[in-house]
């Protein structure tokens, strides 16, 4: 049994069953043993592969999106470019590379990374060497005095959420054989992510005060529904959510309808990732890159492209949503 599982059991013995939100916060974010706090879970040798790790095309398209918005905003002389949950720093590195020929863009930028994991902060430092970067434990600490553009890929799915069976909050408890179980075990499950929805409302309130836009990409559904989407991934396989505490990634699908409730600024989308990337010109960019590459690299570029946009791969399950507010009229690209 992992040390973290022992900690979870002790807590349940002391205080009774814990909510799924509390369980997830511990499993992912326990300062010493939490899944994200210990190591680098990404890539082929890790537990899962995210879009920026699939192909540089992903980050380049987001870079085009960011640079275009900065221009729509009237090229402000100062811009906070904020990424939530930057993982290995690959997405930000690709965004910055894609924008380097846009006159004045890099000069205006200051990069802010919201990252709770010291191990991943270190990885990000390596990936972004040479850039002016500031780290924050949470979004509240991002400075509020300049316009901003906020990005997050597979960040929202990692935020704790809750489940209900009828009116009863589902919890993690111990059965007679001291096994971790859900209580209640059976019934129709509704999911509700107050922490995630409040986070989004907070980001939008900051956009309203500072001007700018946000772009979040994640897997999930456009309309609220019923059903259990709690999942654990380890070594590229789905595993039992209660059995690998601190050694498997835990997520739930993002309810994009709930994310928009109570938001009083501009909303773009949600649209499917495949449509979004195609609208930004990913096909053309892939052909350009492949044209300069050898046959083997060209095949890799093609494979990456299809993984990102095909509907049986990441193209349909992943959705993109934008939020914006500015004294100039903004029309975020790709929607
Ligand atoms: N965006 C990256 C990584 C996604 S994994 C990519 O696409 O590859 C989720 C990321 O969010 C990790 O960097 C993790 O450490 C970070 N994270 C998760 N919960 C967080 C929280 N509550 N506060 C700050 N960072 C968090």
């Amino acid at each position: 049994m992992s040390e973290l599982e022992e900690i979870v059991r002790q807590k349940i013995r002391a205080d009774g069953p814990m909510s799924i939100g509390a369980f997830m916060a511990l499993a992912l974010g326990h300062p010493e043993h939490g899944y994200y706090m210990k190591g680098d879970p990404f890539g082929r040798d890790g537990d899962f592969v995210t879009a920026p790790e699939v192909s540089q095309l992903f980050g380049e398209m987001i870079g085009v999106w960011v640079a275009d918005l900065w221009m729509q905003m009237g090229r402000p002389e100062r811009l906070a470019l904020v990424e939530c949950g930057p993982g290995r720093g690959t997405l930000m590195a690709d965004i910055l590379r894609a924008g380097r020929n846009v006159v004045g863009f890099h000069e205006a930028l200051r990069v802010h990374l919201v990252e709770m994991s010291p191990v991943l902060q270190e990885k990000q430092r390596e990936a972004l060497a040479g850039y002016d970067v500031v780290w924050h434990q949470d979004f509240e600490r991002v400075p509020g005095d300049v316009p901003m553009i906020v990005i997050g890929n597979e960040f929202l799915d990692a935020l704790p959420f809750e489940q209900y069976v009828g009116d009863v909050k589902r919890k993690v408890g111990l059965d007679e054989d001291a096994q971790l179980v859900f209580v209640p075990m059976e019934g129709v499950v509704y999911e509700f992510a107050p922490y995630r929805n409040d986070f989004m409302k907070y980001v939008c309130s900051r956009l309203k005060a500072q001007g700018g836009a946000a772009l979040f990409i994640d897997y999930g559904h456009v309309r609220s529904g019923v059903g259990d989407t709690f999942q654990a991934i380890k070594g590229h396989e789905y595993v039992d959510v209660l059995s690998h505490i601190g050694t498997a990634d835990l997520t739930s699908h993002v309810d994009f309808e709930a994310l928009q409730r109570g938001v009083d600024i501009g909303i773009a989308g949600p649209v499917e990732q495949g449509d979004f990337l195609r609208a930004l010109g990913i096909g053309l960019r892939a052909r350009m890159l492949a044209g300069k590459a050898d046959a083997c690299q060209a095949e890799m570029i093609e494979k990456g492209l299809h993984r990102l946009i095909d509907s049986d791969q990441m193209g349909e399950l992943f959705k993109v949503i934008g939020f914006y507010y500015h004294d100039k009229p903004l029309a975020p690209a790709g929607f």
Side-chain angles (χ1 to χ4, degrees):
M1 188 185 306
S2 70
E3 268 172 272
L4 190 51
E5 179 165 353
E6 198 45 54
I7 292 168
V8 167
R9 284 163 175 274
Q10 266 166 21
K11 240 178 137 42
I12 294 173
R13 276 189 224 109
D15 308 331
M18 67 170 74
S19 76
I20 289 178
F23 175 79
M24 193 163 166
L26 266 179
L28 297 181
H30 182 278
E32 212 180 320
H33 307 292
Y35 177 72
Y36 280 116
M37 307 307 266
K38 291 182 307 192
D40 175 0
F42 308 102
R44 218 166 350 133
D45 303 327
D47 293 315
F48 58 96
V49 179
T50 57
E53 305 297 335
V54 165
S55 165
Q56 70 185 72
L57 291 167
F58 182 78
E60 288 176 351
M61 291 303 112
I62 308 293
V64 166
W65 188 90
V66 171
D68 173 64
L69 255 170
W70 174 73
M71 290 190 269
Q72 290 189 36
M73 287 159 72
R75 303 174 189 252
E77 270 173 35
R78 291 177 68 204
L79 176 80
L81 177 57
V82 188
E83 186 180 355
C84 301
R88 282 180 168 173
T90 310
L91 173 56
M92 185 54 79
D94 290 341
I95 289 174
L96 293 173
R97 203 188 53 252
R100 85 189 144 187
N101 292 330
V102 179
V103 177
F105 180 56
H106 273 207
E107 291 71 20
L109 280 184
R110 176 142 228 215
V111 175
H112 295 270
L113 301 180
V114 178
E115 174 58 67
M116 67 176 179
S117 163
V119 182
L120 290 174
Q121 282 192 5
E122 208 37 57
K123 287 259 165 198
Q124 293 152 17
R125 199 182 306 279
E126 287 165 25
L128 297 168
Y131 291 109
D132 185 8
V133 180
V134 190
W135 278 266
H136 307 276
Q137 284 290 323
D138 47 64
F139 193 90
E140 277 83 352
R141 302 195 195 187
V142 173
D145 56 347
V146 290
M148 65 179 181
I149 295 182
V150 185
I151 304 292
N153 184 62
E154 290 209 41
F155 174 71
L156 299 172
D157 65 63
L159 298 182
F161 74 111
E162 301 292 351
Q163 292 185 332
Y164 287 82
V165 174
D167 292 336
V168 183
K169 198 177 212 172
R170 207 167 180 222
K171 295 189 171 179
V172 179
L174 290 166
D175 68 7
E176 302 104 63
D177 304 325
Q179 296 299 310
L180 288 171
V181 286
F182 286 112
V183 275
M185 287 170 89
E186 310 275 331
V188 178
V189 171
Y190 296 81
E191 295 186 340
F192 181 51
Y195 184 63
R196 180 191 296 152
N197 300 340
D198 288 352
F199 166 81
M200 196 50 76
K201 268 189 248 156
Y202 178 71
V203 170
C204 290
S205 73
R206 291 281 302 267
L207 288 175
K208 206 169 173 181
Q210 294 167 238
L215 188 74
F216 283 88
I217 305 130
D218 227 306
Y219 43 89
H221 35 276
V222 168
R223 297 262 160 265
S224 302
V226 293
D228 178 359
T229 73
F230 196 11
Q231 67 182 39
I233 291 203
K234 184 177 163 68
H236 306 275
E237 309 264 338
Y238 291 105
V239 294
D240 179 63
V241 286
L242 299 180
S243 304
H244 305 270
I245 305 173
T247 60
D249 186 33
L250 295 180
T251 61
S252 71
H253 282 207
V254 173
D255 176 347
F256 282 87
E257 187 176 353
L259 220 48
Q260 299 171 60
R261 260 176 229 137
V263 167
D264 60 353
I265 64 172
I267 301 177
V271 295
E272 290 170 4
Q273 172 171 300
D275 291 338
F276 178 77
L277 293 175
R278 270 190 289 263
L280 288 172
I282 196 170
L284 196 65
R285 175 68 185 147
R287 279 201 296 283
M288 257 179 68
L289 276 181
K292 289 188 283 185
D294 63 33
C296 176
Q297 287 170 326
E299 196 188 322
M300 295 288 289
I301 293 164
E302 188 72 9
K303 268 198 181 143
L305 172 69
H306 286 290
R307 185 134 177 226
L308 292 174
I309 65 174
D310 284 4
S311 53
D312 59 348
Q313 304 210 30
M314 301 175 92
E316 196 174 297
L317 175 62
F318 281 76
K319 313 288 187 301
V320 185
I321 192 166
F323 299 92
Y324 55 98
Y325 189 89
H326 203 265
D327 49 18
K328 293 204 168 46
L330 300 183
F335 293 96

